[in-house]
Amino acid sequence: MKKFEKPIMVTQSFLPPIEEYKEQIDRIWENNWVTNQGPIHKEFNKCITKYLKVNNSTLFVNGHLALDVAIKALNLKGEVITTPFTFASTTHAIKMNGVKPVFCDINVEDYTIDVSKIERLITKETSAIIPVHVFGTPCDVEGLQKIAEKYKLKIIYDAAHIFGVEVNGVGIGNFGDVSMFSLHATKVFNSIEGGVLTYNNLDYKRQFDLLKNFGITDPETVEAVGLNAKMNEFQAAMGLVNLRYIDEEINKRKKVVKKYRECLKDIQGITYLKDKIGIRHNYAYFPILVDEIEYGKTRNDLFKKLKEHNVFARKYFYPLVNEYDCYKNDYNVEDTPVAKYVGDRVLTLPMYGSLELDKVENICEIIKQFSK
Ligand SMILES: *Cc1c(COP(=O)(O)O)cnc(C)c1O
């Protein structure tokens, strides 16, 4: 296989036809309203609530601050159970709110929290569970709900990866107390940067709106200690236009995934996730696991090999959060052996709707030839 002429990155941000974006930007000039819950923000909020099939949603400048606000609004204290197989954001948001992250292991089937290992981690300090719908695969939402009810714990889902996913026709944002979706440029659906909280309890709405705007109630009243996490009109405009294309984008990604699966299925030591019955998937990522013994090379070897061919895969999530410099002294990675196993073997391959299928074939060919 020869090297790709142009680099193939692990993802490529979706951009809509520029004319459609310009039309929305013209509205900003007409309204002279740039941020602070403008008309485009309102319209986008309505459309995204409908698309996600949820009852309520609140928009934010990014996903991380949305999660931060959710933790504040639900007044989480003490300890929160989460997993180390995630992006820095999840754990940082917990930690920065003065709450202790407690790491539960993941399951080897889909890398989400292993529900059978949660109960032993619950103490009288535990206030919530913050599970992650990793790579767009839903957690065991029913199992989690049972535990939450039994121990009276809140659940905030890190739903950053799972935009547009449905379980038996139900929008994934309906589960738990709150879900946080990220609308960052690298995600399946973007509003340049952005975040959404979805929730069933309408009482949360007021608190979210307050906290994302400095706790200001009216010009002469500041009722809460808040921050600035508002989505602006330029972001909302991008989101509004991109919503027109999200189904098409997911369909294209589905074809890319199908091609990857076809081309990789006979390579010894390379495994990948399968679709689940009853789930509408979003094909956010294409992670593979590299088994050194069967494949004959390590994940790191393959990562380098791909790079030599101008293919930029990503070791995601690696390192685990409990291996980060800022956390490793407080945790033992041996406590989450499955996460360790997966983190050391996982590689996410280039994945985006406009990735040509012949390129996918070539990427797989590089992987195949390297194994011999
Ligand atoms: C992207 C991401 C976030 C943070 O979202 P931003 O919009 O980038 O702030 C949080 N958690 C996970 C798992 C993510 O992938």
Side-chain angles (χ1 to χ4, degrees):
M1 278 314 299
K2 57 184 215 307
K3 182 175 167 178
F4 285 95
E5 243 163 70
K6 279 197 206 149
I8 300 180
M9 308 312 287
V10 69
T11 189
Q12 188 170 293
S13 299
F14 179 84
L15 287 171
I18 193 161
E19 288 311 318
E20 292 189 36
Y21 189 53
K22 279 184 185 154
E23 263 171 46
Q24 296 301 319
I25 299 305
D26 284 342
R27 291 174 66 193
I28 301 176
W29 262 256
E30 279 158 29
N31 300 326
N32 209 320
W33 199 335
V34 173
T35 188
N36 288 10
Q37 320 266 59
I40 305 179
H41 179 288
K42 282 200 191 94
E43 189 180 337
F44 179 43
N45 200 350
K46 209 182 266 175
C47 292
I48 204 167
T49 308
K50 188 163 168 238
Y51 186 80
L52 292 173
K53 297 188 178 173
V54 292
N55 292 318
N56 307 291
S57 58
T58 300
L59 298 172
F60 290 83
V61 66
N62 61 48
H64 181 75
L65 287 176
L67 183 58
D68 182 82
V69 163
I71 292 169
K72 287 182 168 70
L74 271 62
N75 201 18
L76 303 190
K77 297 268 184 267
E79 298 173 1
V80 164
I81 297 172
T82 184
T83 59
F85 193 69
T86 185
F87 184 55
S89 170
T90 326
T91 317
H92 287 351
I94 299 168
K95 185 76 179 174
M96 282 193 109
N97 277 289
V99 179
K100 182 180 168 197
V102 173
F103 292 118
C104 181
D105 209 355
I106 59 172
N107 68 66
V108 77
E109 288 80 35
D110 60 19
Y111 324 138
T112 62
I113 194 164
D114 184 341
V115 172
S116 73
K117 292 180 182 159
I118 294 177
E119 283 189 276
R120 70 186 74 156
L121 298 172
I122 296 173
T123 70
K124 56 182 191 319
E125 299 297 319
T126 310
S127 59
I129 309 171
I130 303 192
V132 185
H133 296 302
V134 182
F135 299 140
T137 308
C139 298
D140 173 5
V141 288
E142 280 167 23
L144 281 157
Q145 192 58 37
K146 273 187 204 138
I147 293 176
E149 278 166 18
K150 184 169 167 192
Y151 295 93
K152 299 203 169 23
L153 303 176
K154 294 277 194 287
I155 300 179
I156 300 176
Y157 282 106
D158 181 332
H161 285 186
I162 204 162
F163 191 92
V165 171
E166 294 171 12
V167 181
N168 299 318
V170 178
I172 192 71
N174 287 285
F175 297 97
D177 294 278
V178 182
S179 296
M180 177 281 289
F181 294 84
S182 164
L183 314 183
H184 186 267
T186 55
K187 306 296 205 270
V188 171
F189 172 78
N190 82 82
S191 61
I192 308 175
E193 294 221 30
V196 197
L197 293 179
T198 65
Y199 45 97
N200 289 314
N201 183 349
L202 192 56
D203 294 346
Y204 291 147
K205 181 177 163 43
R206 187 167 179 278
Q207 204 58 20
F208 293 158
D209 284 339
L210 264 183
L211 288 174
K212 75 171 181 178
N213 187 31
F214 305 102
I216 297 173
T217 324
D218 64 53
E220 299 189 7
T221 319
V222 180
E223 158 184 346
V225 183
L227 42 95
N228 180 2
K230 301 183 299 291
M231 175 178 278
N232 66 54
E233 291 289 273
F234 290 82
Q235 293 176 291
M238 182 67 99
L240 200 54
V241 177
N242 282 350
L243 260 190
R244 299 173 189 155
Y245 293 93
I246 177 64
D247 286 335
E248 191 184 321
E249 171 67 15
I250 291 175
N251 281 333
K252 284 185 181 167
R253 283 168 177 263
K254 187 174 181 172
K255 295 200 177 99
V256 173
V257 165
K258 196 165 162 255
K259 179 59 80 183
Y260 266 128
R261 287 175 181 163
E262 264 169 38
C263 298
L264 293 174
K265 72 174 189 304
D266 295 326
I267 307 179
Q268 287 273 316
I270 301 290
T271 49
Y272 47 79
L273 300 173
K274 311 231 158 46
D275 283 3
K276 288 188 173 178
I277 294 165
I279 307 284
R280 185 223 187 200
H281 289 277
N282 69 355
Y283 307 103
Y285 299 86
F286 192 80
I288 58 170
L289 284 199
V290 183
D291 182 292
E292 183 184 350
I293 295 161
E294 282 186 53
Y295 181 65
K297 304 276 169 42
T298 65
R299 182 272 311 270
N300 290 350
D301 294 336
L302 179 57
F303 173 80
K304 273 192 230 145
K305 188 75 199 168
L306 288 168
K307 207 160 139 186
E308 282 168 27
H309 285 81
N310 241 348
V311 177
F312 294 84
R314 186 171 173 201
K315 299 175 198 175
Y316 191 62
F317 300 106
Y318 172 85
L320 300 179
V321 177
N322 48 8
E323 295 176 308
Y324 289 1
D325 285 353
C326 56
Y327 291 114
K328 67 182 181 203
N329 294 332
D330 298 328
Y331 297 95
N332 184 358
V333 71
E334 305 304 326
D335 293 342
T336 54
V338 179
K340 178 73 182 146
Y341 176 90
V342 175
D344 286 344
R345 287 163 183 78
V346 71
L347 193 63
T348 58
L349 300 180
M351 181 70 217
Y352 44 91
S354 59
L355 180 59
E356 294 94 336
L357 298 182
D358 59 326
K359 289 196 175 137
V360 175
E361 283 175 13
N362 290 346
I363 293 168
C364 296
E365 196 52 39
I366 297 167
I367 298 172
K368 194 175 201 167
Q369 288 184 7
F370 191 48
S371 75
K372 288 174 193 151

